Amino acid sequence: MADVSAGFDLGRIGQGLPFAADVDRLAALASGPGAAVVVQAPPGTGKTTLVPAVLANVVTGRVVVTQPRRIAVRAAARRLAHLDGSPLGARSGFSVRGERVMSETAPVEFVTPGLLLRRLLADPALSGIDALVLDEVHERQLDTDLLLALLTDVRELRDDLVVVVMSATLDAPRYVELLTAQGGQVAVVDTAVPAHPLEVRWRPAAGPRLDDRGVRRDFLDHVAATAAEAHARALATDASVDALVFLPGAREVDHVVAALATRTPGTEVLALHGRVAAADQDDAIAGRPAGGPPRMVVSTALAESALTVPGVRLVVDSGLAREPRVDRARGMSGLVTVAASRATAVQRAGRAVRLGPGTVVRCYEERTHLGLPDHLTAELLTSDLTSVMLFLSAWGAPAGAGLRWLDAPPPAAVEDATAVLRALEAVDDEGRVTAAGRRLAGLPLAPRWGRALLETAAQFGAGPAAEIVAAASGDFRPDGADLGALVQRLRAGRHPQQQTWRREVDRLRRVVGAAPERGTAGGGDPLSSALVSAWPERVARRTEGTTYLLARGTRAGLPADSSLVGEEWLAVAEVTRATGRQAAGTGAVIRAAAALAEADVLAGALVGRRVVADLVDGRLRGRSVVGVGAIELTSTPIRLDPVTGAVAVAEALRRHGLGLLTFSGAADALRRRLALLHRRLGAPWPATNDEALVAAAETWLGPELRRLAEGAAAGSLDLLPAVRRLLPWPEAARLDELAPAALQVPSGRQVALVYPPVDEDGPVRVEVKLQECFGLAESPLLLGTPVLFHLLSPAGRPLAVTDDLASFWAGPYRQVRAEMRGRYPKHPWPEDPWTARPTRGTGRSSGS
């Protein structure tokens, strides 16, 4: 057993690992205080094991290593401890949610990015930590990208902190640029390793992989059959080959595991996904026991990286992945199934050749593979950012001000997240964290669930609160969307994940123990109260059948087999975009909910009064509505006053869009000019698409909103003055210079320029008779792009379209001239259009 007080024996640990050749170079680069290193090394080189050990021998404090998944955290810590010959936790330990195996003196600790973020809030200087390693950054997970951005501040606080960023499929120049911009020199360690031979086979299914309900069952059966056949073929020549099958989600994994169990007698088939117990996850990646039967591990993205599963020489890839998406219009977020990126496909295939030659069987066509996106989409660009924005506010950088990002968060997502945090009273109007927000930021939960935990505990006690939030926020899918039934099964011990749930309950009870009491226990239902606390805008009322209207204003269908069918009111925890029968024609399905008593709805703070404007016969009419958000309880016609009415009209625009208004030709033309300036030059030129104009309606449309509120017909409004209010000053003085309304052609006439629609980035065009352009050799440039000429006949019919007039006169013009001379003999068709006099009429030029 290794001496735990000594440094790591790198020769012993690195034996047979290709990265061992770069150990001395890394040690030299990391020996200076504040060093920053980018490590790029293929799978199986040993970087995840060796880099922390090298750093631990160089620095005096602890080395903390992040891995994107808990299973990878545990596996990496065990691997280093095993090669070191020391007990797990003595020199190489780990900390994940609800589990810590770590001595106080251990030099290396593996953690998840989320856990490190919470430590940063408690101790921004990372006291006692001398080196930080961010592994697998190519996966572009939300917490990892946030950590990379926070290095801007962390490295200012700790100029002695050694930072290493590494991955197998790293876009090294981008990370070098980011770290350099954050301060200091950045070195690159690039380990080149001769790749083991990889055989690639293509086994596409006969039909599509996806339909409107998700991954098709017949495709999953095809994956199972393909995997069984490929594994049998491999075992026929080498009995030591195990297989790894990649699918997008837990449901698909479980389906294929069940199918393989009947197809592959004598083979151990194991599932690997987030709902599998930690001990079973660890068993799945431990490899086949000595003398054990052949293995097939069927996995989600958990097994894509940072894991070497011994014995795997065959990979079967469905080519599908799950990525987060946000539907801003419906206020929904969740995972969607998409085609995996080429980088992901390469990473998956790499599992087969980590330890020797291997085979990958791809269950899709080669041409599909060639058309895949190069890289994963960063979660920061597609996810709900409420947790990120709360962290940044608590960090002291609202909306990420002053930080440098690989990809900056989308402004619309930042705005939405900040609005949620204001509603939760977690941030103030300037985005600064409140006392309540700081409390939420310190909880190991998303802000909404953190609020639900604290408020439910204050009203009903810590035990019920922890049980409900653990069930509702965890990776449990209630049958028929009935969360109440799920909680009952978990409490009764009749659920396969009961132990996982119980550990989470115990953890949340410990968290709540420090929460201040806000009241005494009382009546009501703790489950529905918790859901309403987290998602007040998802209170829903049945409209007909299984269709419900949510307070947010969107509709969703309840599964027809749900035990909740017939309930008048629901508190909804999860709703996702979907089509098909379950969506009941609404485009969304309720995935988790609880019955909500109408008395609780009417007695609570959910009910409010608002003024609504509706378009009736071209005019806006007002109503005073009592309801829960968009759910109307009573309605009374009222006369709109100018102030309240203007607000109601703006809300009507948000509901119905700019289709309520009519833009004149002049107003639309100006709007298009501004849109082009925004696309080409950016701020301060404003966006003028529908979404942007609706969001800023009170700013640019104020007088018109008041006129509508006073009863003016929507079609009677002149919107040109309103669009002019969008002009930024003093830049507006250059409008005609940068984006002129008309172009003077050689005939002397001013011809209107036609700009592309506000949502399209096409060329600016001009429609003009050919004879008016004689002598014009080059198309004028507008914002760096040539104007597109639509050259017309004397009757106004199109003859040619070009943005290269010189080429037109030198070539195609001759054919046009030959065809048009006889048809329009009174108009000039000169042999030499360069010297001919341009004309608007029928005057003839010599040589015609």
Side-chain angles (χ1 to χ4, degrees):
M1 181 175 293
D3 178 3
V4 296
S5 65
F8 286 100
D9 184 343
L10 299 179
R12 173 181 174 177
I13 294 172
Q15 187 174 5
L17 297 176
F19 193 81
D22 289 307
V23 160
D24 291 340
R25 180 162 184 256
L26 175 62
L29 292 172
S31 59
V37 183
V38 173
V39 172
Q40 182 168 273
T45 55
K47 65 183 183 302
T48 299
T49 300
L50 277 169
V51 169
V54 171
L55 297 178
N57 286 357
V58 171
V59 302
T60 57
R62 178 168 290 172
V63 178
V64 172
V65 188
T66 67
Q67 292 289 343
R69 299 178 181 89
R70 281 174 283 172
I71 185 174
V73 168
R74 295 193 301 268
R78 287 194 178 99
R79 175 70 172 165
L80 178 54
H82 171 72
L83 293 176
D84 180 54
S86 60
L88 178 63
R91 289 155 59 85
S92 170
F94 69 88
S95 299
V96 297
R97 187 176 71 188
E99 186 179 8
R100 177 176 170 85
V101 181
M102 187 76 192
S103 73
E104 292 302 318
T105 58
V108 176
E109 180 183 19
F110 291 86
V111 302
T112 57
L115 189 144
L116 181 58
L117 285 170
R118 289 194 294 277
R119 286 188 185 174
L120 272 172
L121 271 187
D123 179 13
L126 293 177
S127 304
I129 297 173
D130 280 1
L132 188 60
V133 181
L134 305 186
D135 198 3
E136 304 299 340
V137 293
H138 76 279
E139 292 197 14
R140 302 305 308 277
Q141 291 194 343
L142 200 62
D143 288 346
T144 301
D145 270 15
L146 177 55
L147 279 172
L148 282 166
L150 291 173
L151 291 178
T152 303
D153 290 347
V154 173
R155 294 173 72 194
E156 286 185 3
L157 293 169
R158 286 285 308 279
D159 58 6
D160 62 328
L161 183 70
V162 176
V163 173
V164 177
V165 171
M166 61 184 191
S167 177
T169 57
L170 184 66
D171 185 2
R174 291 196 69 195
Y175 291 88
V176 170
E177 180 183 1
L178 176 68
L179 293 173
T180 301
Q182 291 173 342
Q185 298 297 312
V186 182
V188 177
V189 175
D190 193 347
T191 301
V193 179
H196 295 296
L198 175 69
E199 179 187 0
V200 180
R201 302 181 200 157
W202 306 94
R203 296 290 187 273
R209 292 181 289 177
L210 302 172
D211 59 21
D212 58 5
R213 300 183 66 181
V215 184
R216 292 171 59 97
R217 287 183 175 271
D218 53 359
F219 174 70
L220 295 177
D221 293 335
H222 168 75
V223 173
T226 300
E229 182 274 331
H231 197 210
R233 175 177 172 179
L235 290 173
T237 57
D238 186 348
S240 67
V241 173
D242 289 336
L244 182 57
V245 183
F246 282 105
L247 291 155
R251 179 185 70 84
E252 293 81 10
V253 166
D254 291 342
H255 181 98
V256 171
V257 165
L260 285 172
T262 62
R263 290 175 177 270
T264 57
T267 297
E268 186 179 14
V269 183
L270 302 174
L272 182 58
H273 54 66
R275 299 179 191 172
V276 173
D280 293 333
Q281 290 181 0
D282 295 339
D283 179 53
I285 66 171
R288 186 196 309 185
R295 273 191 166 190
M296 301 183 77
V297 177
V298 186
S299 178
T300 60
L302 282 180
E304 280 180 7
S305 57
L307 298 172
T308 297
V309 183
V312 168
R313 303 283 283 278
L314 169 67
V315 166
V316 179
D317 186 5
S318 67
L320 300 173
R322 290 264 159 80
E323 294 184 359
R325 291 290 187 273
V326 173
D327 183 342
R328 295 189 64 219
R330 292 176 176 267
M332 304 173 192
S333 62
L335 298 174
V336 298
T337 305
V338 297
S341 68
R342 276 205 300 274
T344 297
V346 170
Q347 191 80 354
R348 291 175 176 179
R351 306 302 97 186
V353 291
R354 277 201 160 189
L355 302 176
T359 301
V360 61
V361 182
R362 290 175 172 147
C363 297
Y364 52 97
E365 294 180 324
E366 185 173 7
R367 64 181 180 181
T368 300
H369 180 80
L370 296 175
L372 295 175
D374 290 336
H375 299 287
L376 284 166
T377 303
E379 288 186 0
L380 191 75
L381 302 179
T382 61
S383 297
D384 173 54
L385 299 184
T386 306
S387 294
V388 172
M389 291 303 116
L390 177 58
F391 181 96
L392 291 173
S393 292
W395 182 255
L403 301 182
R404 294 181 181 273
W405 302 82
L406 274 177
D407 294 290
V414 172
E415 180 182 336
D416 287 348
T418 304
V420 170
L421 293 174
R422 288 196 191 101
L424 295 175
E425 299 181 347
V427 300
D428 62 19
D429 290 342
E430 283 71 45
R432 296 171 302 201
V433 70
T434 63
R438 192 168 296 281
R439 174 70 175 124
L440 290 177
L443 296 177
L445 288 166
R448 289 180 182 272
W449 290 120
R451 176 184 179 179
L453 179 68
L454 297 180
E455 293 195 349
T456 307
Q459 185 176 0
F460 299 97
E467 290 177 342
I468 289 165
V469 173
S473 66
D475 194 13
F476 308 99
R477 178 56 61 85
D479 295 334
D482 190 342
L483 262 176
L486 171 65
V487 173
Q488 289 178 5
R489 286 184 63 202
L490 288 165
R491 285 171 172 164
R494 293 184 287 103
H495 192 282
Q497 294 174 270
Q498 196 271 341
Q499 290 184 347
T500 301
W501 171 76
R502 178 51 64 187
R503 284 194 297 271
E504 181 67 0
V505 170
D506 293 341
R507 186 176 73 98
L508 294 181
R509 288 196 67 165
R510 291 193 296 271
V511 169
V512 174
E517 293 292 324
R518 293 181 50 188
T520 58
D525 173 38
L527 175 56
S528 59
S529 294
L531 301 188
V532 170
S533 177
W535 300 98
E537 71 275 26
R538 289 184 180 172
V539 168
R541 187 181 192 182
R542 189 165 63 93
T543 55
E544 58 180 354
T546 59
T547 301
Y548 284 77
L549 173 64
L550 277 65
R552 183 183 175 89
T554 56
R555 296 178 185 273
L558 187 68
D561 60 351
S562 174
S563 55
L564 296 173
V565 169
E567 293 287 350
E568 185 69 11
W569 291 88
L570 295 178
V572 177
E574 182 182 357
V575 58
T576 60
R577 291 184 62 180
T579 56
R581 179 175 54 84
Q582 287 191 330
T586 65
V589 172
I590 296 171
R591 301 291 187 189
L596 180 60
E598 185 172 61
D600 291 339
V601 175
L602 300 179
L606 296 172
V607 177
R609 185 182 299 273
R610 60 195 175 97
V611 174
V612 175
D614 300 309
L615 190 65
V616 180
D617 298 330
R619 298 179 187 274
L620 286 162
R621 306 300 186 197
R623 293 183 296 123
S624 176
V625 173
V626 174
V628 180
I631 303 171
E632 296 185 6
L633 300 175
T634 64
S635 173
T636 306
I638 62 169
R639 182 180 181 84
L640 293 172
D641 66 82
V643 177
T644 305
V647 174
V649 173
E651 176 59 31
L653 283 175
R654 281 187 280 272
R655 292 200 317 273
H656 302 293
L658 285 182
L660 288 177
L661 306 175
T662 302
F663 287 84
S664 66
D668 182 60
L670 179 55
R671 184 185 173 194
R672 291 182 178 213
R673 292 163 70 191
L674 291 175
L676 183 70
L677 287 169
H678 176 74
R679 283 195 298 272
R680 302 287 175 83
L681 303 180
W685 299 101
T688 60
N689 57 13
D690 283 12
E691 184 179 13
L693 292 188
V694 166
E698 290 93 337
T699 301
W700 68 281
L701 203 59
E704 288 74 18
L705 293 180
R706 288 189 290 274
R707 287 192 59 202
L708 287 169
E710 292 167 353
S716 70
L717 298 180
D718 180 8
L719 295 183
L720 181 58
V723 177
R724 283 177 178 154
R725 294 186 200 108
L726 293 166
L727 288 167
W729 294 95
E731 289 81 2
R734 299 188 63 201
L735 172 65
D736 289 333
E737 171 194 345
L738 297 172
L743 175 71
Q744 183 170 323
V745 295
S747 67
R749 188 165 66 95
Q750 293 282 338
V751 182
L753 288 168
V754 181
Y755 285 75
V758 294
D759 291 318
E760 297 178 15
D761 192 17
V764 179
R765 73 179 193 272
V766 62
E767 298 179 356
V768 58
K769 291 182 180 179
L770 181 148
Q771 282 78 10
E772 296 191 64
C773 297
F774 290 149
L776 185 60
E778 294 184 0
S779 177
L781 293 178
L782 199 156
L783 296 175
T785 303
V787 172
L788 187 66
F789 276 74
H790 287 235
L791 298 174
L792 308 178
S793 72
R797 295 186 176 89
L799 294 177
V801 177
T802 182
D803 62 3
D804 185 354
L805 287 167
S807 296
F808 171 75
W809 297 130
Y813 169 71
R814 296 175 183 174
Q815 182 178 351
V816 171
R817 176 176 182 268
E819 294 175 355
M820 293 293 107
R821 295 179 69 195
R823 186 174 301 177
Y824 300 102
K826 294 183 180 181
H827 291 78
W829 302 98
E831 290 187 9
D832 182 7
W834 302 96
T835 58
R837 180 174 60 85
T839 178
R840 297 173 57 184
T842 59
R844 303 296 298 265
S845 298
S846 61
S848 64

